[in-house]
């Protein structure tokens, strides 16, 4: 997600600092950007020179303090509330006083992340969708303390990125994952209970509902660990058993079958 966000910002003309924890991960991020832009060069929607210019606007780094001059920092670390809270605390120390701190979290409370900083009015959710260069939506989440000024700035910036900002208040899973994840979880229950094969479940939803991917394919695409983390946020946040994650999803995550990124999920890659 991080490299997708960096690519979209650089393509819109912004200078970008892309920070990751290690050189290998940064290298993988830059390779993903290269591949993604090359699709458009191959389709003659982007010149090789323009691609190079986008690439040069992205400065990869492993040093968090390189974010010191940024007017906006978009966090896209692992979907774990402790990790994210710690990152926000650190960013709050590093960033300029007027910088906005955004999270790409798919379900964690923006209010809680804001409370970890001395600038909760400047903390907001910018939830991009995967694959970031293709998907039009950015779900914008206001925490309890997010100011109108911060919201307006992010709304405007999202449009400059060529995306459509749609607003929502802070609530577990926001709108996107409150609606999407129970559908995916239900598809996993159907597989678990032997109601239908993976191909039937996906085919029924693709051909019958015109979804671009069936729910099990989409779960593999998102990452099963991410799906489980989101279901846990919904389950804990609402305290309602209708959000309990399917045991099959838990078993796959325990086995390290995380979907496309690990080579195996509900399908093999
Ligand atoms: N970078 C750039 N372009 C890409 C790309 C990438 N990584 N992946 C696909 N594309 C482009 C292709 O170049 C192609 O462009 P054109 O049609 O303009 O030529 C277009 O996207 C379609 O790609 P393909 O023909 O290769 O494949 P497809 O038609 O099967 O589409 C897909 C692929 C766009 C991923 C489509 O299957 C899809 O929309 N799937 C659903 C994705 C989805 O639901 N995402 C949200 C997940 S939830 C989330 O992200 C948030 C969360 O919190 C969990």
């Amino acid at each position: 997600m991080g490299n997708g966000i960096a690519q979209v910002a650089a393509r819109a003309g912004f200078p970008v600092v892309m920070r990751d924890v290690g050189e290998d991960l940064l290298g993988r991020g830059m390779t993903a950007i290269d591949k993604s832009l090359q699709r458009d060069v191959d389709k003659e929607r982007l010149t090789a020179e323009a691609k190079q210019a986008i690439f040069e606007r992205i400065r990869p780094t492993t040093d968090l303090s390189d974010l010191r001059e940024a007017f906006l920092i978009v966090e896209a670390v692992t979907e774990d509330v402790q990790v994210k809270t710690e990152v926000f605390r650190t960013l709050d120390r590093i960033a300029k006083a007027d910088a906005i701190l955004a999270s790409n979290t798919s379900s964690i409370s923006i209010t809680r992340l804001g409370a970890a900083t001395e600038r909760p009015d400047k903390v907001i959710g910018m939830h991009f969708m995967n694959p970031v260069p293709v998907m039009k939506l950015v779900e914008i989440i206001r925490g309890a303390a997010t100011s109108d000024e911060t919201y307006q700035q992010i709304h405007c910036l999202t449009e400059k990125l060529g995306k459509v900002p749609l607003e929502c208040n802070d609530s577990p899973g926001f709108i996107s994952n409150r609606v999407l994840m129970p559908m995916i979880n239900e598809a996993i229950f159907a597989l678990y209970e032997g109601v239908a094969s993976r191909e039937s479940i996906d085919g029924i939803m693709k051909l019958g509902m015109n979804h671009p991917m069936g729910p099990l394919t989409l779960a593999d695409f998102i990452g099963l660990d991410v799906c489980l983390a989101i279901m846990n946020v919904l389950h804990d946040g609402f305290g309602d058993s209708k959000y309990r994650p399917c045991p099959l999803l838990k078993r796959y995550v325990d086995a390290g079958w995380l979907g496309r990124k690990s080579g195996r999920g509900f399908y093999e890659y």
Side-chain angles (χ1 to χ4, degrees):
M1 293 299 281
N3 71 65
I5 297 166
Q7 176 190 329
V8 164
R11 191 160 182 166
F14 294 100
V16 177
V17 179
M18 183 170 84
R19 190 266 176 179
D20 212 323
V21 287
E23 292 293 346
D24 50 335
L25 289 168
L26 273 178
R28 268 163 47 191
M30 292 306 277
T31 304
I33 293 172
D34 184 50
K35 268 194 185 161
S36 175
L37 291 173
Q38 190 58 40
R39 287 172 184 248
D40 280 349
V41 174
D42 294 344
K43 288 176 187 160
E44 298 183 350
R45 290 191 293 221
L46 188 72
T47 64
E49 295 72 37
K51 178 189 160 194
Q52 188 57 28
I54 295 168
F55 226 73
E56 284 168 9
R57 278 198 284 277
I58 304 174
R59 181 154 67 89
T61 182
T62 54
D63 188 354
L64 258 187
S65 62
D66 284 342
L67 303 176
R68 196 171 281 128
E69 295 306 316
F71 70 86
L72 167 68
I73 302 177
V74 185
E75 163 278 317
V77 305
T78 184
E79 198 65 6
D80 176 312
V81 70
Q82 308 300 341
V83 177
K84 284 199 192 279
T85 307
E86 199 43 51
V87 167
F88 268 75
R89 251 188 224 115
T90 310
L91 290 177
D92 192 32
R93 279 201 306 274
I94 290 169
K96 293 198 292 193
D98 59 349
I100 294 176
L101 306 182
S103 176
N104 180 51
T105 178
S106 39
S107 59
I108 289 170
S109 164
I110 299 301
T111 305
R112 195 161 163 187
L113 296 178
T117 73
E118 301 291 323
R119 62 178 94 194
D121 56 315
K122 294 190 175 58
V123 173
I124 194 163
M126 280 184 92
H127 184 206
F128 290 81
M129 302 290 136
N130 196 10
V132 180
V134 180
M135 306 300 278
K136 280 284 166 209
L137 173 69
V138 182
E139 191 177 29
I140 311 287
I141 305 106
R142 287 180 187 244
T146 309
S147 68
D148 286 343
E149 191 192 347
T150 299
Y151 173 74
Q152 289 306 338
Q153 282 180 312
I154 292 303
H155 182 100
C156 179
L157 180 115
T158 302
E159 288 181 335
K160 284 189 184 152
L161 297 180
K163 302 289 185 195
V164 178
L166 289 175
E167 180 191 354
C168 130
N169 289 322
D170 197 13
S171 175
F174 318 131
I175 292 297
S176 55
N177 281 317
R178 181 171 179 172
V179 176
L180 174 67
M181 267 321 143
M183 181 194 72
I184 288 178
N185 196 46
E186 202 58 36
I188 302 171
F189 265 113
L191 182 71
Y192 182 56
E193 292 165 11
V195 180
S197 68
R198 59 186 187 181
E199 289 80 7
S200 277
I201 294 169
D202 276 351
I204 285 166
M205 297 307 288
K206 263 184 84 167
L207 302 176
M209 285 21 133
N210 236 0
H211 290 191
M213 288 173 163
L216 301 172
T217 305
L218 183 55
D220 278 356
F221 182 67
I222 292 168
L224 302 192
D225 51 340
V226 177
C227 293
L228 179 58
I230 295 170
M231 284 311 297
N232 282 330
V233 167
L234 292 173
H235 196 207
D236 294 346
F238 290 114
D240 188 330
S241 63
K242 78 175 173 181
Y243 297 111
R244 74 201 183 285
C246 178
L248 188 64
L249 175 61
K250 289 187 186 170
R251 194 192 300 163
Y252 273 41
V253 172
D254 284 345
W257 300 336
L258 305 182
R260 265 194 210 193
K261 63 185 167 191
S262 73
R264 176 170 180 179
F266 294 108
Y267 297 86
E268 295 74 38
Y269 299 90

